[in-house]
Amino acid sequence: MLHSLYRYTVFRMFYMSESNSNVCIWNESRIRKIIEILFKTHNVDLDEFILKNALDKVHSVPNYFEILTAIILSQNTSDRNAIRAFNNLKTVLKEITYENITIVDESVLKSAIRVAGLANRKSRILKELAVILQKNPHYLKDLERMDVKEARKRLLELPGVGLKTADVFLLMVLKKPTFPIDTHINRVVKRLGITSSSDRYEDVRMKIVNYLNNDIDSLAALHLLLIVHGRRICTARKPRCYHCTLSDLCCRNL
Ligand code: SF4
C-alpha cells in the first residue's frame, strides 16, 4: 500500500511538473496559436466595439479628436454604453471638434454622455482636452510621425489619457506597436499563464509586444480576440473552461 502510494506520489510530482512546465512556457508560436484558435472560435462582431463605431465615421481625413473622445467615453464602462454616449454626442454636436466641445454648454455635454457614466469627470476632461488641442491643433496629427515611445509619452501628457487609452489610440488608430490591456485581457492572459498574476500593466504589455515582435496586425488581432474571449468564455466569475478552445494551452491560474 505504502509502496503504491509512493509510486503514485512520485508519478504525480513528475507528471505535474512536466505538464505544467510544458503548458506554461510561452513563446511566439504559442501566442500565435492562441490567435489562430480564437480566430476560429469567435465570430467577432466589430460593431460591438466603440472604436469601430468611431472609425466608421471617419472620412478621408481622420478626426483624431473624435476618435480620442470615443475612447475616453469608453473608460470604465461597456462598449455598448460608450457607443450610445458617442452617438448622442454626435447627434448634439454633428461633428466632434475642439470648437464644438469648447462652446457646448457643459450641462448639454453631460446629459449627452451620461449613459457612459462618470459624466462630470468625462465632460470636464473633454472640455480641458478641447482647449489644449485647440491651441495645439497638430498635436494628435504629429503623433503619426513619432515612434511609439515618443508618441505614447506625448499622449500620456494629455488630461484623461491613461495607459490603456493611449495604447488603444496608438495601436488601433495610429498602427503603432503596443498592446492595450483592458480588464478582460488582464484576466485572460493571467489565467492562461502568459504573464504572472503579479505582473502590472507595463509588464504584461511589454511581454506581449515582445512575444509578437512588434507585429502590429497580430497585436491588434490578439487585443480584440482576448476581449471577446473574456466576455464570452473566460468570464470573471465563472470561466467556462469545459467549453474553452484554449483549454489545452491554458495554465488555469484561477
Ligand atoms: S481554460 Fe478556463 S481559465 Fe483557461 S482561458 Fe479557457 S476559460 Fe479561461
Side-chain angles (χ1 to χ4, degrees):
M1 176 69 185
L2 266 177
H3 183 64
S4 57
L5 186 62
Y6 172 77
R7 275 177 46 199
Y8 173 74
T9 307
V10 170
F11 169 78
R12 287 268 305 167
M13 282 169 62
F14 176 77
Y15 176 78
M16 291 304 289
S17 64
E18 176 92 342
S19 157
N20 280 344
S21 64
N22 282 342
V23 163
C24 294
I25 289 175
W26 289 89
N27 52 33
E28 181 178 357
S29 67
R30 210 171 171 91
I31 302 280
R32 290 194 180 281
K33 188 80 187 155
I34 295 275
I35 297 174
E36 187 189 320
I37 292 171
L38 290 182
F39 192 72
K40 287 181 189 155
T41 304
H42 296 297
N43 184 12
V44 178
D45 179 4
L46 288 176
D47 283 331
E48 289 176 23
F49 291 88
I50 175 70
L51 212 51
K52 164 75 164 39
N53 283 262
L55 288 168
D56 266 0
K57 296 174 176 73
V58 167
H59 302 296
S60 50
V61 180
N63 178 349
Y64 287 147
F65 180 58
E66 186 161 293
I67 298 167
L68 187 57
T69 297
I71 302 171
I72 287 170
L73 289 177
S74 73
Q75 293 171 350
N76 301 99
T77 191
S78 65
D79 275 47
R80 188 185 304 143
N81 287 340
I83 290 167
R84 287 169 65 195
F86 180 75
N87 288 337
N88 288 347
L89 195 55
K90 289 282 285 181
T91 304
V92 170
L93 299 180
K94 304 293 180 258
E95 199 183 351
I96 300 174
T97 61
Y98 312 141
E99 295 76 18
N100 288 346
I101 290 281
T102 309
I103 59 176
V104 70
D105 191 87
E106 192 154 357
S107 62
V108 175
L109 180 56
K110 276 186 208 167
S111 153
I113 66 172
R114 192 169 308 283
V115 65
L118 304 174
N120 289 345
R121 180 176 178 276
K122 288 177 183 175
S123 61
R124 179 178 48 75
I125 285 168
L126 291 179
K127 287 265 183 198
E128 284 175 20
L129 259 180
V131 170
I132 292 170
L133 296 176
Q134 200 168 19
K135 288 181 192 154
N136 304 274
H138 301 295
Y139 196 102
L140 296 177
K141 173 88 179 144
D142 286 349
L143 302 175
E144 284 177 358
R145 59 177 173 74
M146 297 177 192
D147 67 21
V148 65
K149 192 174 172 194
E150 189 185 359
R152 197 164 186 257
K153 181 171 172 291
R154 294 275 288 162
L155 266 175
L156 289 171
E157 286 166 4
L158 294 173
V161 178
L163 296 172
K164 191 190 93 181
T165 298
D167 288 326
V168 169
F169 193 84
L170 291 168
L171 176 66
M172 307 305 279
V173 182
L174 297 182
K175 311 284 181 226
K176 293 187 188 287
T178 185
F179 190 73
I181 300 145
D182 80 339
T183 176
H184 296 294
I185 294 175
N186 189 48
R187 180 176 69 251
V188 178
V189 294
K190 287 179 178 174
R191 284 177 176 171
L192 283 166
I194 296 174
T195 68
S196 91
S197 57
S198 59
D199 277 352
R200 301 172 75 95
Y201 186 99
E202 276 304 288
D203 305 317
V204 177
R205 182 180 79 88
M206 287 314 299
K207 277 183 187 168
I208 303 280
V209 169
N210 288 336
Y211 277 137
L212 287 174
N213 284 318
N214 296 305
D215 175 352
I216 292 160
D217 289 343
S218 299
L219 288 163
L222 185 65
H223 171 75
L224 294 175
L225 288 166
L226 286 176
I227 292 174
V228 172
H229 196 66
R231 284 177 183 167
R232 297 181 189 171
I233 303 289
C234 194
T235 53
R237 289 201 182 157
K238 276 193 181 170
R240 299 167 61 207
C241 300
Y242 287 113
H243 300 280
C244 181
T245 48
L246 300 182
S247 181
D248 288 347
L249 292 167
C250 184
C251 294
R252 284 191 181 72
N253 292 330
L254 296 170

